[in-house]
Amino acid sequence: DTGVSQDPRHKITKRGQNVTFRCDPISEHNRLYWYRQTLGQGPEFLTYFQNEAQLEKSRLLSDRFSAERPKGSFSTLEIQRTEQGDSAMYLCASSHTGGGTSGRSYEQYFGPGTRLTVT
Amino acid sequence: AQSVTQPDIHITVSEGASLELRCNYSYGATPYLFWYVQSPGQGLQLLLKYFSGDTLVQGIKGFEAEFKRSQSSFNLRKPSVHWSDAAEYFCAVGAETSYDKVIFGPGTSLSVIP
């Protein structure tokens, strides 16, 4: 297994355009997370999936943001009508549970991130 | 609400010197604690974690951390720093939920002088 992968690694877009990012988690991991990281800050939680179900969305995730994980494998994060404030690194992570669907999971493994620049 | 503070925004050490990065957390129960490292252009890599048991935790790359409940701290240490350790270091706490949302601190940037 090659770890968590994200595509693209870099995206430059003009304000008002839509963008979509993809995350491929480690294959046996049932949990997938999206984080946003701005310069000089730690990652901030955006949303979380267990298998294909999106179970929580942060208040940081406005209605312009949508995430999917249609078959419980890869996930996409779409930002509509991008704004300059959306410029950030978008990180994906995955983990697996130790026991049961509500059990604590092991540590999260992070992908390299997608750096978004909105001009 | 859970939170993590890292009092030092930036630290500079000489190669071969010892290192201690500070981390304090706010949490109602026994926390799950992590240290991650992020090198430029790289994803976050887990250095070590504390879930329970021995409060002195050994990690990769010669790092260790000590959980001190009385001080709500989880400081990261390394006895001898290498130039390749220059990176951003994040302390994090596992949130008290069933799905382990992780709350990150703001990070400490480490520079190493040859």
Side-chain angles (χ1 to χ4, degrees):
Chain A
D1 188 33
T2 57
V4 179
S5 62
Q6 293 187 245
D7 184 69
R9 295 290 304 275
H10 303 273
K11 179 70 177 179
I12 300 174
T13 190
K14 293 184 178 179
R15 182 167 53 92
Q17 298 295 305
N18 299 343
V19 295
T20 299
F21 310 141
R22 177 182 170 119
C23 171
D24 287 89
I26 294 173
S27 57
E28 65 267 26
H29 286 184
N30 60 341
R31 292 180 171 174
L32 187 148
Y33 312 77
W34 285 99
Y35 293 83
R36 181 171 65 188
Q37 185 180 19
T38 53
L39 198 63
Q41 299 297 319
E44 296 174 292
F45 170 81
L46 291 180
T47 190
Y48 151 77
F49 291 85
Q50 178 147 315
N51 301 313
E52 66 276 9
Q54 186 176 19
L55 298 185
E56 183 174 334
K57 293 172 60 173
S58 165
R59 286 174 293 177
L60 294 173
L61 216 62
S62 75
D63 57 6
R64 297 184 297 104
F65 288 70
S66 62
E68 294 182 341
R69 194 182 183 197
K71 298 183 179 178
S73 56
F74 73 91
S75 175
T76 58
L77 178 68
E78 181 183 15
I79 309 174
Q80 296 181 327
R81 305 180 304 280
T82 53
E83 302 173 355
Q84 288 187 323
D86 297 331
S87 295
M89 176 77 84
Y90 290 84
L91 296 167
C92 176
S94 69
S95 69
H96 69 95
T97 53
T101 56
S102 61
R104 299 304 296 264
S105 69
Y106 297 106
E107 63 266 21
Q108 297 177 23
Y109 292 82
F110 283 81
T114 294
R115 181 168 296 284
L116 173 66
T117 302
V118 181
T119 61
Chain B
Q2 297 91 356
S3 66
V4 178
T5 56
Q6 294 180 247
D8 304 305
I9 296 174
H10 185 259
I11 286 182
T12 300
V13 299
S14 298
E15 191 169 18
S18 63
L19 171 70
E20 182 170 27
L21 301 182
R22 296 183 292 164
C23 171
N24 294 96
Y25 65 90
S26 172
Y27 193 77
T30 300
Y32 286 17
L33 294 161
F34 308 87
W35 274 99
Y36 283 87
V37 61
Q38 187 177 38
S39 300
Q42 302 297 314
L44 288 155
Q45 181 182 23
L46 181 70
L47 285 175
L48 48 78
K49 61 185 183 290
Y50 171 78
F51 283 177
S52 65
D54 193 346
T55 56
L56 184 62
V57 180
Q58 301 298 319
I60 62 172
K61 303 184 179 184
F63 285 94
E64 66 177 26
E66 186 171 12
F67 169 58
K68 293 186 177 180
R69 184 188 301 275
S70 61
Q71 298 177 19
S72 297
S73 69
F74 189 56
N75 294 349
L76 182 71
R77 300 193 294 251
K78 186 170 185 178
S80 178
V81 170
H82 188 263
W83 63 266
S84 60
D85 293 325
E88 190 84 16
Y89 291 81
F90 294 96
C91 182
V93 62
E96 194 173 32
T97 66
S98 64
Y99 54 81
D100 307 307
K101 180 172 68 177
V102 176
I103 309 297
F104 284 86
T108 296
S109 177
L110 174 66
S111 296
V112 180
I113 300 172

